[in-house]
Amino acid sequence: MPSNSTIHDTLIVGAGFTGLGAAIKLRQAGVDDIVLVERADRVGGTWRDNVYPGAACDIPSLLYSFSFVKNPSWSRAYPSGGEICAHIESMVDEFGLRPHIRFNTEVTGLSFDESAGVWTVTTKGRKKFQARTVVLAGGPLADHKLPDIRGIDTYEGHKIHSAAWDGDYDFTGKRVAVIGTGASAVQIVPELVKTAQSGKVFQRTPGWVLPRLDVQMPEAVQSLFAAVPATQELARQALYWGHEASATALVWKSPLSSLVARLGRAHLRRQVKDPWLRRQLTPDFTPGCKRMLVSSDYYPARQRDNCKLIDWPIATLSPVGIRTSDGVEHHLDAIVFATGYDVHLSGPPFPVTGLGGRSLQHEWAGHAEAYKSASAHGYPNLLFMCGPNSGPGHNSLLVYVEGQLDYAVAGITTILKNNLRYLDVRADVQGRYNEVIQQRLTKTTWMSGCNSWYLTADGFNASMYPGFATQYLRQMRDFQIADYTAHARSESDAGVALDARPRVVTSTA
Ligand code: NAP
């Protein structure tokens, strides 16, 4: 038996942007019996963990924030990770969420009791929780791992991953390598080379880089946003539609994709004068296929006297550094692995047991799929945030999350208000939805031949939503109970009038 016999209305896993957003929206919808479990001792998710020098969002915060949590005081267009984290902390107090959060509580498994209509959530230690509904908001980029490079364990210098920064290590005067040239690396490299004796950047694939048009937010603008919130909303809308328009270049290959490539090459030409280095930094894939990089200081940093680009493949790590396939041994005091995350393409990093003992890990081991990214057949009363095929390639992730929040609130309130035992998405509905998604994906840039974390090892795309944010939001605002089978708690509840005439099956348990 769980040590805590309370059955909560909703349990939320993760207290990052998304989990806190779910708590705010649910409370606004009248669901107050909520518990948030968080494995760390602070809120903030990926923004709490990514404290590497230069960490900042590459989407302007006026758009990379929730529309229902106004912050007129953003200091810049692209604020630092620290400022974003402080904003997330402020959400907790503004919306009175602290009493709902259980810190230092890492989930180890979820299992659904069909007869009771209750999820049991086990955590490290002996504490268990029970809840009628669960929101999984652990985030797709919550876990990192060192890459599988030969000899990695033999290296005797300092190893550090971008997502687990060691703030105590002093890079001053050190010989440092950065492996990787993705979104994290282009932020880290310009900062590291300011103090390191030397910086070597090990590049496997050059990415498309566009300039970052960062500006300080004038006080007058902050005051205007505070006094007339509609002006901030207007600025957000302008950014939203600007990003939406970019889908025509980044999501689908079109003449506008060539325009983005031209912009990228112009940025490179303007900032890098050496033709050989320009050649080394020129990407050879369709813009959008991998995440676009946004930086105005990466190329200049790359040309400092103490910074060197190495594009020979890494053969092995050795006790003293990195050996490349041209036979050169690079002696290093520290290696920074900006090599990405252990992305949860096959579900959360703990077992989830659904109806009839089915295992989500097992079912998603091949290819993850859900209905509208939010519900998976056989796992009732469970709502996914950033679930399968919900990722954007051109707009703010939090715009998509807002759609998921609307959908989760509609599902959870339907269950609670109608006192349902469970609501399970229909297999046929989920199957048809995913056929269309996979068919639409074939026409996107993500499937145009590059290698990215969006795809599984066999090339399946369970990450991205193939469309405009506006289309995604429209589908998420349309919660149709007829897409689900609804199971009543008892005979007497079986006749309850549900909004959209679902199939109500009476419990026989
Ligand atoms: P990433 O985009 O996956 O990039 C990893 C880099 O490491 C790539 O250049 C990759 O090369 C290289 N790499 C991986 N394994 C390697 C190996 N064994 N040997 C040599 N090179 C290797 O990771 P990330 O830069 O941490 O970014 C991940 C995601 O985090 C982004 O896509 C974004 O969604 C998010 N992020 C967002 C922001 C923001 O500002 N909002 C900032 C940072 C990160 P290949 O390209 O050849 O695979």
Side-chain angles (χ1 to χ4, degrees), residues 52 56-58 141 147 149 179-184 187 204-205 290-291 338-341 453:
Y52 58 75
C57 190
D58 55 11
L141 304 179
I149 298 179
I179 302 181
T181 51
S184 300
Q187 295 182 342
R204 197 162 63 178
T205 316
K290 283 171 182 279
R291 187 182 169 92
T339 44
Y341 292 80
W453 66 260

Side-chain angles (χ1 to χ4, degrees), residues 46-47 50 52 55-59 64 141 147-149 161-162 179-187 202-206 212 285 290-291 293 314 337-341 343 451-454:
T46 193
W47 292 105
N50 278 275
Y52 58 75
C57 190
D58 55 11
I59 297 273
Y64 187 82
L141 304 179
D148 197 10
I149 298 179
H161 192 281
S162 59
I179 302 181
T181 51
S184 300
V186 298
Q187 295 182 342
F202 288 78
Q203 170 185 281
R204 197 162 63 178
T205 316
R212 187 163 80 152
F285 57 88
K290 283 171 182 279
R291 187 182 169 92
L293 307 175
I314 295 172
F337 294 88
T339 44
Y341 292 80
V343 186
N451 175 30
S452 76
W453 66 260
Y454 303 152

Side-chain angles (χ1 to χ4, degrees), residues 37-56:
V37 292
E38 165 57 54
R39 68 182 176 187
D41 59 1
R42 280 188 306 130
V43 300
T46 193
W47 292 105
R48 175 201 57 225
D49 299 336
N50 278 275
V51 292
Y52 58 75

Side-chain angles (χ1 to χ4, degrees), residues 143-223:
D143 293 311
H144 65 276
K145 62 165 194 214
L146 290 176
D148 197 10
I149 298 179
R150 199 153 72 91
I152 191 161
D153 293 330
T154 64
Y155 175 62
E156 289 168 1
H158 197 68
K159 281 186 272 201
I160 182 166
H161 192 281
S162 59
W165 199 253
D166 177 357
D168 293 334
Y169 186 78
D170 185 4
F171 286 90
T172 312
K174 301 279 175 27
R175 297 162 303 171
V176 183
V178 176
I179 302 181
T181 51
S184 300
V186 298
Q187 295 182 342
I188 293 170
V189 170
E191 295 303 315
L192 279 193
V193 296
K194 284 180 188 164
T195 55
Q197 182 198 105
S198 63
K200 290 187 173 174
V201 182
F202 288 78
Q203 170 185 281
R204 197 162 63 178
T205 316
W208 287 105
V209 185
L210 293 180
R212 187 163 80 152
L213 307 174
D214 195 12
V215 287
Q216 203 160 352
M217 208 68 90
E219 265 179 42
V221 172
Q222 293 177 343
S223 307

